[in-house]
Short mmCIF file of all heavy atoms in Angstrom, two decimals:
data_model
loop_
_atom_site.label_atom_id
_atom_site.label_comp_id
_atom_site.label_asym_id
_atom_site.label_seq_id
_atom_site.Cartn_x
_atom_site.Cartn_y
_atom_site.Cartn_z
N ILE A 203 -9.83 7.97 -38.97
CA ILE A 203 -9.62 7.62 -40.39
C ILE A 203 -9.02 8.80 -41.14
O ILE A 203 -8.08 8.64 -41.94
CB ILE A 203 -10.94 7.17 -41.03
CG1 ILE A 203 -11.40 5.84 -40.43
CG2 ILE A 203 -10.78 7.02 -42.55
CD1 ILE A 203 -12.75 5.37 -40.91
N MET A 204 -9.55 10.01 -40.86
CA MET A 204 -9.02 11.21 -41.52
C MET A 204 -7.58 11.48 -41.13
O MET A 204 -6.79 11.96 -41.94
CB MET A 204 -9.89 12.42 -41.15
CG MET A 204 -11.31 12.36 -41.72
SD MET A 204 -11.32 12.26 -43.53
CE MET A 204 -10.63 13.86 -43.97
N PHE A 205 -7.22 11.17 -39.88
CA PHE A 205 -5.83 11.34 -39.44
C PHE A 205 -4.90 10.42 -40.22
O PHE A 205 -3.78 10.80 -40.57
CB PHE A 205 -5.70 11.02 -37.94
CG PHE A 205 -6.30 12.05 -37.03
CD1 PHE A 205 -6.60 11.73 -35.71
CD2 PHE A 205 -6.56 13.35 -37.48
CE1 PHE A 205 -7.16 12.68 -34.87
CE2 PHE A 205 -7.12 14.30 -36.64
CZ PHE A 205 -7.42 13.97 -35.33
N LEU A 206 -5.38 9.20 -40.49
CA LEU A 206 -4.52 8.21 -41.15
C LEU A 206 -4.48 8.35 -42.67
O LEU A 206 -3.52 7.92 -43.30
CB LEU A 206 -5.01 6.80 -40.79
CG LEU A 206 -4.78 6.35 -39.34
CD1 LEU A 206 -5.45 5.00 -39.09
CD2 LEU A 206 -3.29 6.25 -39.04
N MET A 207 -5.53 8.95 -43.25
CA MET A 207 -5.64 8.99 -44.70
C MET A 207 -4.44 9.63 -45.40
O MET A 207 -3.94 9.08 -46.40
CB MET A 207 -6.93 9.71 -45.11
CG MET A 207 -8.17 8.83 -45.01
SD MET A 207 -8.02 7.25 -45.88
CE MET A 207 -7.88 7.82 -47.57
N PRO A 208 -3.93 10.81 -44.94
CA PRO A 208 -2.77 11.39 -45.64
C PRO A 208 -1.57 10.46 -45.65
O PRO A 208 -0.87 10.34 -46.68
CB PRO A 208 -2.47 12.66 -44.82
CG PRO A 208 -3.77 13.01 -44.18
CD PRO A 208 -4.42 11.70 -43.88
N VAL A 209 -1.34 9.78 -44.52
CA VAL A 209 -0.20 8.85 -44.44
C VAL A 209 -0.43 7.66 -45.36
O VAL A 209 0.49 7.23 -46.08
CB VAL A 209 0.00 8.39 -42.98
CG1 VAL A 209 1.10 7.34 -42.91
CG2 VAL A 209 0.33 9.57 -42.09
N VAL A 210 -1.64 7.12 -45.35
CA VAL A 210 -1.96 5.96 -46.19
C VAL A 210 -1.82 6.32 -47.67
O VAL A 210 -1.27 5.54 -48.46
CB VAL A 210 -3.39 5.46 -45.90
CG1 VAL A 210 -3.81 4.39 -46.91
CG2 VAL A 210 -3.48 4.91 -44.48
N ILE A 211 -2.29 7.50 -48.04
CA ILE A 211 -2.20 7.95 -49.44
C ILE A 211 -0.74 8.09 -49.87
O ILE A 211 -0.34 7.67 -50.96
CB ILE A 211 -2.95 9.28 -49.64
CG1 ILE A 211 -4.46 9.04 -49.51
CG2 ILE A 211 -2.63 9.90 -50.99
CD1 ILE A 211 -5.28 10.31 -49.47
N MET A 212 0.08 8.67 -48.97
CA MET A 212 1.51 8.84 -49.29
C MET A 212 2.20 7.49 -49.44
O MET A 212 3.03 7.31 -50.35
CB MET A 212 2.19 9.67 -48.21
CG MET A 212 1.79 11.15 -48.20
SD MET A 212 2.70 12.12 -46.99
CE MET A 212 4.34 12.15 -47.74
N ILE A 213 1.86 6.55 -48.54
CA ILE A 213 2.46 5.20 -48.64
C ILE A 213 2.04 4.53 -49.95
O ILE A 213 2.87 3.93 -50.66
CB ILE A 213 2.04 4.34 -47.44
CG1 ILE A 213 2.68 4.87 -46.15
CG2 ILE A 213 2.44 2.88 -47.66
CD1 ILE A 213 2.19 4.17 -44.89
N TYR A 214 0.77 4.68 -50.32
CA TYR A 214 0.25 4.07 -51.56
C TYR A 214 0.96 4.66 -52.78
O TYR A 214 1.37 3.92 -53.69
CB TYR A 214 -1.25 4.31 -51.66
CG TYR A 214 -1.84 3.84 -52.98
CD1 TYR A 214 -2.05 2.49 -53.23
CD2 TYR A 214 -2.17 4.77 -53.97
CE1 TYR A 214 -2.57 2.07 -54.44
CE2 TYR A 214 -2.69 4.35 -55.18
CZ TYR A 214 -2.90 3.00 -55.41
OH TYR A 214 -3.41 2.59 -56.61
N ILE A 215 1.11 5.98 -52.80
CA ILE A 215 1.77 6.64 -53.94
C ILE A 215 3.22 6.22 -54.04
O ILE A 215 3.74 5.95 -55.13
CB ILE A 215 1.65 8.17 -53.84
CG1 ILE A 215 0.18 8.59 -54.02
CG2 ILE A 215 2.52 8.86 -54.89
CD1 ILE A 215 -0.06 10.06 -53.78
N ARG A 216 3.91 6.14 -52.88
CA ARG A 216 5.33 5.75 -52.91
C ARG A 216 5.51 4.33 -53.41
O ARG A 216 6.48 4.02 -54.11
CB ARG A 216 5.93 5.89 -51.52
CG ARG A 216 6.17 7.33 -51.11
CD ARG A 216 7.42 7.48 -50.28
NE ARG A 216 8.62 7.04 -51.00
CZ ARG A 216 9.85 7.15 -50.52
NH1 ARG A 216 10.05 7.67 -49.33
NH2 ARG A 216 10.88 6.73 -51.21
N LEU A 217 4.56 3.46 -53.06
CA LEU A 217 4.68 2.06 -53.48
C LEU A 217 4.23 1.84 -54.92
O LEU A 217 4.80 0.99 -55.62
CB LEU A 217 3.87 1.16 -52.54
CG LEU A 217 4.36 1.07 -51.09
CD1 LEU A 217 3.39 0.23 -50.26
CD2 LEU A 217 5.76 0.49 -51.03
N SER A 218 3.23 2.60 -55.35
CA SER A 218 2.67 2.38 -56.68
C SER A 218 3.28 3.27 -57.76
O SER A 218 3.27 2.92 -58.94
CB SER A 218 1.15 2.61 -56.66
OG SER A 218 0.86 3.95 -56.30
N SER A 219 3.80 4.43 -57.38
CA SER A 219 4.38 5.37 -58.36
C SER A 219 5.77 5.77 -57.91
O SER A 219 5.98 6.82 -57.29
CB SER A 219 3.49 6.62 -58.49
OG SER A 219 2.18 6.28 -58.85
N ASP A 220 6.71 4.89 -58.18
CA ASP A 220 8.09 5.13 -57.76
C ASP A 220 8.64 6.40 -58.42
O ASP A 220 8.54 6.59 -59.62
CB ASP A 220 8.95 3.93 -58.14
CG ASP A 220 10.33 4.02 -57.53
OD1 ASP A 220 10.45 4.61 -56.44
OD2 ASP A 220 11.28 3.50 -58.15
N GLY A 221 9.18 7.28 -57.61
CA GLY A 221 9.76 8.52 -58.12
C GLY A 221 8.81 9.71 -58.13
O GLY A 221 9.22 10.82 -58.50
N PHE A 222 7.55 9.50 -57.72
CA PHE A 222 6.56 10.59 -57.75
C PHE A 222 6.97 11.74 -56.82
O PHE A 222 6.76 12.91 -57.15
CB PHE A 222 5.18 10.04 -57.32
CG PHE A 222 4.07 11.04 -57.42
CD1 PHE A 222 3.39 11.24 -58.62
CD2 PHE A 222 3.71 11.80 -56.32
CE1 PHE A 222 2.37 12.17 -58.71
CE2 PHE A 222 2.68 12.73 -56.40
CZ PHE A 222 2.01 12.92 -57.60
N PHE A 223 7.54 11.39 -55.66
CA PHE A 223 7.92 12.42 -54.69
C PHE A 223 9.37 12.88 -54.83
O PHE A 223 9.84 13.70 -54.04
CB PHE A 223 7.70 11.91 -53.25
CG PHE A 223 6.26 11.82 -52.84
CD1 PHE A 223 5.69 10.58 -52.54
CD2 PHE A 223 5.47 12.96 -52.75
CE1 PHE A 223 4.37 10.49 -52.15
CE2 PHE A 223 4.14 12.87 -52.37
CZ PHE A 223 3.58 11.64 -52.07
N GLU A 224 10.08 12.36 -55.81
CA GLU A 224 11.50 12.69 -55.95
C GLU A 224 11.79 14.20 -56.03
O GLU A 224 12.78 14.67 -55.48
CB GLU A 224 12.08 11.99 -57.19
CG GLU A 224 12.37 10.51 -57.00
CD GLU A 224 13.33 10.25 -55.85
OE1 GLU A 224 14.31 11.02 -55.71
OE2 GLU A 224 13.09 9.31 -55.09
N PRO A 225 10.93 15.01 -56.70
CA PRO A 225 11.21 16.46 -56.78
C PRO A 225 11.26 17.16 -55.42
O PRO A 225 11.87 18.24 -55.31
CB PRO A 225 10.05 17.00 -57.64
CG PRO A 225 9.61 15.83 -58.46
CD PRO A 225 9.79 14.64 -57.58
#
Side-chain angles (χ1 to χ4, degrees):
I203 292 175
M204 292 301 294
F205 288 162
L206 290 174
M207 281 307 296
V209 175
V210 172
I211 290 171
M212 289 184 71
I213 292 173
Y214 174 76
I215 292 174
R216 286 216 60 176
L217 294 176
S218 62
S219 303
D220 190 30
F222 185 85
F223 287 117
E224 283 302 319

